[in-house]
Amino acid sequence: MRLRALPAAAALAALFGPMVLAAPASADSSRALAVFGVNDVLVDAVHQHVFISDAYNSQIVVTDLIGKVVATLTDLPQVADLELSPDSGTLYAALPDADKIVAIDTGQLTRTAEYPTGDGTAPSRVVHADGRLWFGYGDQWDSGLGEVDLTAETPTVTLDLAAGHDFAGPPMLYADPDNPGTLLALDARISSGPIIVYDISSGTPAIRVSDEKGGSYNDAALTPDGRNVIVAGPGGRALTEYRLSDLSEVRTFPTASAPETVSVAPDGTVAATVLDDGNVGDTYVFGTDPDRPASVRNLSREWMPRGGHSASWSADGSKLFVLTGYNNAMQFQVVDAPRAYASTLTVDAPAKATRAASLTVKGKLTANLALPAGTPLQVIRTDLESPNGKSLGTKYLGADGTYSLTDTPPAGGKVKYTVTYAGDTTHTAATATDTVDVSRATPTLTLNNDGKEYDYAQSVTFTAHLGTTYKNRTVEIWANPYGADKPDKLVKSGTVNSSGNLSVTLALTRKTALTAKFAGDGRYAPKTAASTVGARVKVSTTLGGSYKSQYTWSHTYYYFHQSKDPVVTTTMTPYPDRKQYLRIQIYAEGGWEATAEDFFKLDSAGRSVVTLTGTPPTGRRFRVRSAYLSGSGDGVNTTTYGAWKYFTFTR
């Protein structure tokens, strides 16, 4: 069995007194779970735990009722089937790779006993019935039915109890305290699908009834009274219910793809997961009324887990726990209203629309159990004028499940329409949205001084001008100095004056890209304006080593002896890896001609010292100039030329 902690709620109360269950979540939930795959999922209502057997990692993961891991029980080789004792005090786990069944205290979560079943038996299925543990063991045709007699002073193991049936694989076993003396075995490894009902009232199994049902079963579950079984198969496309007394068919439960897991709630509601190879719905819930369709949910975009029992009801039948996913990346899903039909709501609005013009929003509300015409829907419009949403009132479904409404959006920009169905006693709530790009006028926004250059540290006033808008008159001015070390910075934000202007004064030390920004309003679109200005560096040049200076030839000249090398010292606004460009010219034939030029790196203080060597001619006129060329080492300033320094040589 997968779900029953005790035969009935009355027995639970008698043994343990009043129970406090975890407060129900307000909506469905999903929690990541590091489990590779699932062999079995079992709910312990007494301790409010869910046990998950993960054979790949040889562990049992223990969670609370919302999927939060509270413990991990390890060293359980290839752990397979799980079973609870009638009082929920002991968890039994079949360990095929260890040839034994282990008992675990569910309160302390510690191992309390081991029951070796014999070398090579590989027990993989286990169920508790009439004071014994019945287990399916073996591989393929070397499989059988065994028991551990827990009533004996020393529990004993007995094999080969199949009473003449030759199992094609370890039998899947089911029993229920409400139907004592009965053990159900499914021979699931063969396509003929034998179902065998044993009478175990004497302690030795005897076949009461058997029949081949033509299906390889993935899972099965007993009905609440233990007298019927619902199997995942035969046929691969349906669940089928059989009466244990004669194995006659009672009911079928149609599914769109191969069923993988089946579980039955205390009130008889049936849940199943299916492979869902078309990604149209993976979790089915069938009520007790066979004339009503199933409630179908699509909990995962992947195929559902195969080869294990991966879905179970809560003990009171109010919630459904479903594991989805694979490979240590599973999800523990809690369906809070599993009997309610999942509603699907769509909203279709035009991609674009004109402000103050009528538009149409339409959509559809569907569920497996159709909703009647006149079902109310609430509509909210959210836009720049109503950022918290404005109700457009109640709209109603038509006979075909569709709805339509017209609206005239007063504001432009992104306008969102949210349609909500509140749900009812048989349908889940649903909400859907769609967004329309509603047109807005383009405002005028300018920013002055673009392309201008200024001296180092010069104060410059920048003025943004905003033209006509609707309500918003706020402008931001951002400044982004060149260089990775200076981020974009908001330098002014405010309401423009009556002339539409907002100004800010900045001392420019670098080239700077400025941006004026208008965020827009309900009728005018956002707008930006850019202005990039240059900032020169400070640069000075001195000549060292002269013996005199004299004003002549319309300039001050420095005089050097021919034997003395002039020293040119340049000081410039510093910046990492900055270089200065030094150029020397000689006056000849009525004009200045270059004689030498090169780049020289500045030190961290922005200083460069260059000695002019050689044997220059006497009586000739020379001049030298330092410059910063933007892009030669860095580009944060505008190209700047220093003043010429004039000099000549004598003997």
Side-chain angles (χ1 to χ4, degrees):
M1 290 294 292
R2 308 291 176 234
L3 306 175
R4 298 175 65 87
L6 285 175
L12 216 169
L15 287 172
F16 297 97
M19 281 188 58
V20 179
L21 298 178
S26 59
D28 293 355
S29 64
S30 179
R31 182 184 290 267
L33 199 61
V35 173
F36 191 90
V38 178
N39 269 2
D40 201 4
V41 175
L42 189 148
V43 179
D44 175 5
V46 173
H47 302 95
Q48 299 191 60
H49 285 160
V50 178
F51 296 101
I52 303 164
S53 66
D54 178 3
Y56 183 87
N57 291 310
S58 295
Q59 64 182 6
I60 296 174
V61 176
V62 187
T63 75
D64 61 15
L65 298 184
I66 60 172
K68 181 180 179 181
V69 175
V70 297
T72 301
L73 311 179
T74 58
D75 192 25
L76 300 168
Q78 289 293 302
V79 58
D81 211 24
L82 304 177
E83 175 71 340
L84 274 176
S85 62
D87 63 0
S88 289
T90 303
L91 173 71
Y92 299 102
L95 307 182
D97 276 15
D99 293 326
K100 62 186 174 184
I101 298 169
V102 297
I104 297 167
D105 184 294
T106 52
Q108 301 300 317
L109 298 178
T110 55
R111 195 177 305 193
T112 57
E114 296 185 354
Y115 308 108
T117 55
D119 292 344
T121 52
S124 57
R125 294 284 180 166
V126 61
V127 68
H128 189 285
D130 294 8
R132 291 171 168 81
L133 288 179
W134 302 90
F135 61 92
Y137 65 89
D139 181 41
Q140 299 187 58
W141 292 101
D142 292 325
S143 301
L145 173 65
E147 70 159 6
V148 180
D149 186 357
L150 300 178
T151 64
E153 185 175 347
T154 300
T156 57
V157 174
T158 305
L159 303 176
D160 299 324
L161 296 175
H165 183 81
D166 189 10
F167 284 102
M172 300 164 59
L173 302 176
Y174 302 87
D176 192 298
D178 285 343
N179 189 11
T182 301
L183 176 67
L184 174 67
L186 303 183
D187 199 348
R189 300 291 180 87
I190 188 170
S191 61
S192 58
I195 298 178
I196 305 97
V197 181
Y198 287 101
D199 184 338
I200 57 171
S201 56
S202 68
T204 300
I207 295 177
R208 183 182 296 158
V209 60
S210 68
D211 196 4
E212 293 183 350
K213 294 299 182 180
S216 298
Y217 312 110
N218 291 321
D219 196 18
L222 294 176
T223 55
D225 59 5
R227 297 187 180 277
N228 290 3
V229 64
I230 301 172
V231 296
R237 289 287 176 182
L239 306 172
T240 307
E241 181 177 352
Y242 297 103
R243 188 176 294 110
L244 296 191
S245 60
D246 56 6
L247 294 181
S248 59
E249 183 176 309
V250 177
R251 179 183 172 186
T252 60
F253 304 82
T255 59
S257 61
E260 297 292 333
T261 291
V262 58
S263 187
V264 185
D267 67 350
T269 304
V270 175
T273 64
V274 302
L275 184 61
D276 194 25
D277 49 7
N279 194 33
V280 294
D282 50 44
T283 303
Y284 285 66
V285 175
F286 297 90
T288 55
D289 183 352
D291 293 329
R292 277 197 167 187
S295 170
V296 182
R297 286 173 170 79
N298 199 29
L299 301 182
S300 173
R301 294 187 178 275
E302 300 176 325
W303 287 7
M304 295 298 276
R306 307 184 70 178
H309 180 83
S310 57
S312 286
W313 290 91
S314 62
D316 62 0
S318 64
K319 298 179 186 297
L320 183 64
F321 307 122
V322 182
L323 270 72
T324 62
Y326 299 91
N327 301 349
N328 287 328
M330 302 194 75
Q331 294 287 321
F332 187 103
Q333 313 260 14
V334 181
V335 182
D336 288 325
R339 292 167 183 78
Y341 287 87
S343 304
T344 300
L345 182 63
T346 64
V347 179
D348 182 19
K352 295 182 178 181
T354 301
R355 192 193 67 78
S358 178
L359 59 80
T360 299
V361 178
K362 57 186 177 180
K364 195 169 188 178
L365 177 62
T366 58
N368 265 23
L369 183 64
L371 292 117
T375 296
L377 305 172
Q378 300 300 317
V379 183
I380 300 290
R381 182 186 65 221
T382 305
D383 55 26
L384 292 172
E385 293 292 299
S386 304
N388 295 323
K390 176 181 177 61
S391 174
L392 300 184
T394 302
K395 308 300 175 183
Y396 299 94
L397 281 188
D400 58 354
T402 63
Y403 66 91
S404 179
L405 64 102
T406 58
D407 183 46
T408 302
K414 297 295 184 183
V415 178
K416 182 173 71 173
Y417 291 91
T418 301
V419 182
T420 300
Y421 166 57
D424 58 25
T425 56
T426 55
H427 294 87
T428 63
T431 298
T433 65
D434 199 6
T435 300
V436 183
D437 190 359
V438 178
S439 64
R440 288 184 282 179
T442 301
T444 298
L445 181 66
T446 60
L447 184 62
N448 66 343
N449 297 330
D450 184 41
K452 295 181 179 180
E453 296 181 357
Y454 300 93
D455 289 336
Y456 184 84
Q458 181 177 343
S459 292
V460 180
T461 298
F462 296 89
T463 299
H465 175 76
L466 178 65
T468 301
T469 60
Y470 177 47
K471 289 183 177 180
N472 184 15
R473 301 296 291 165
T474 299
V475 171
E476 295 179 347
I477 300 177
W478 291 73
N480 189 5
Y482 278 40
D485 58 330
K486 295 290 186 180
D488 200 11
K489 181 180 179 181
L490 177 64
V491 293
K492 187 70 175 285
S493 177
T495 302
V496 297
N497 62 21
S498 59
S499 299
N501 296 329
L502 180 73
S503 298
V504 64
T505 300
L506 303 176
L508 299 178
T509 59
R510 299 185 185 185
K511 286 192 290 185
T512 303
L514 293 102
T515 305
K517 299 180 181 181
F518 169 65
D521 57 27
R523 299 185 183 180
Y524 285 82
K527 187 71 180 292
T528 61
S531 176
T532 300
V533 295
R536 304 182 186 97
V537 299
K538 287 184 177 180
V539 56
S540 66
T541 307
T542 61
L543 289 174
S546 65
Y547 66 87
K548 73 171 185 177
S549 64
Q550 179 179 321
Y551 186 82
T552 184
W553 297 307
S554 300
H555 295 284
T556 298
Y557 274 78
Y558 294 89
Y559 286 76
F560 291 86
H561 291 296
Q562 189 182 40
S563 59
K564 182 67 174 180
D565 294 334
V567 177
V568 182
T569 300
T570 301
T571 303
M572 192 177 292
T573 304
Y575 190 81
D577 298 321
R578 177 160 286 180
K579 298 176 181 178
Q580 64 109 344
Y581 174 68
L582 193 67
R583 190 174 195 183
I584 302 172
Q585 294 181 334
I586 187 171
Y587 191 81
E589 298 180 359
W592 291 99
E593 299 176 357
T595 62
E597 56 189 12
D598 206 348
F599 286 96
F600 297 92
K601 189 173 182 179
L602 302 172
D603 63 18
S604 60
R607 190 167 178 269
S608 169
V609 179
V610 179
T611 301
L612 307 182
T613 61
T615 306
T618 60
R620 302 292 299 274
R621 288 187 279 169
F622 294 88
R623 67 180 183 180
V624 62
R625 180 172 70 177
S626 298
Y628 163 78
L629 302 185
S630 184
S632 60
D634 73 90
V636 302
N637 284 93
T638 301
T639 295
T640 310
Y641 294 97
W644 289 105
K645 296 293 182 179
Y646 296 84
F647 60 99
T648 187
F649 292 92
T650 64
R651 293 186 183 278

